[in-house]
Amino acid sequence: MPTSNFPNLTVLDHPLIQHKLSLLRDRDTSTRDFKQLVSEIAMLMAYEVTKDLPTEPVEVDTPLERMTGRQVAGKKLTLVPILRAGLGMVEGIAQLIPSARVGHIGLYRDHDTLKPIDYYFKIPAAEIERDFFILDPMLATGGSAVAAVGALKEAGARRIRFLCLVAAPEGVGRMLELHPEVPVFAAALDRQLNPQGYILPGLGDAGDRLFGTRTLA
Ligand code: PRP
Ligand code: URA
């Protein structure tokens, strides 16, 4: 469902996505279930996000006769998780699209300034003509997303989509301002950020919940 305030944003309101997102938000959800849910939601989102991929005819011999089926045309996809939490979205999408390649962008938010600090970038040069899906469960201030898109563009990427589970209006607005041509797909558009830059109501610190490194009080 495109939203009127943000022409760059599509909220994927499929009932299964919404159901699993509510489980994910629950503070009592275990690390094991959290990991599983992130993966499942990412898979369901990928199904929706890829619905405009071009297809082409392909000849298939069934056990009974030859027929003309359809196959996805053109270049393969590259998934680009933002470390750490984006890693949780890779497996579910890769199950649906096993031919997808995976690049990595390492960024973390400075706790005081909330500005992204970059520490890793690995996208093979030969991949640059592909379609890129940047993956990160959280779009908060938008600093990390804007930096990741900027780094990919600098490397030559042109067709980029951003997939997140929970978006804040501040982050979507920042993407619209700085990378207006990059479509943003989210399972939810939440209300606002708190003074510490966490999304409300949100789901807490995605990386910590995914990897069991800390729990919010
Ligand atoms: C989280 C999240 C995003 C970023 C979003 O990562 O996974 O990358 O914050 O916030 P922003 O929109 O304000 O930039 P974090 O910085 O906590 O790093 P981590 O995954 O390594 O813990
Ligand atoms: N990063 C997270 O992991 N959670 C938030 O709510 C905001 C940024």
Side-chain angles (χ1 to χ4, degrees), residues 82-85 107-109 114 119 136-144 205 207:
I82 298 180
L83 308 178
R84 294 176 295 166
L107 289 170
Y108 71 89
R109 285 201 313 180
L114 300 182
Y119 60 91
D136 193 327
M138 311 307 279
L139 176 59
T141 66
S144 304
D205 188 307

Side-chain angles (χ1 to χ4, degrees), residues 24 27 40 52 79 89 103 111 115 129 138 149 156 158 164-165 170 173 189 193 195 206 217:
L24 192 71
R27 62 186 297 159
E40 289 174 358
D52 63 348
L79 309 178
M89 298 173 70
H111 275 290
K115 297 266 182 289
E129 290 305 315
M138 311 307 279
V149 173
R158 289 292 164 262
C164 61
L165 305 191
E170 292 87 338
L189 176 63
L193 298 179

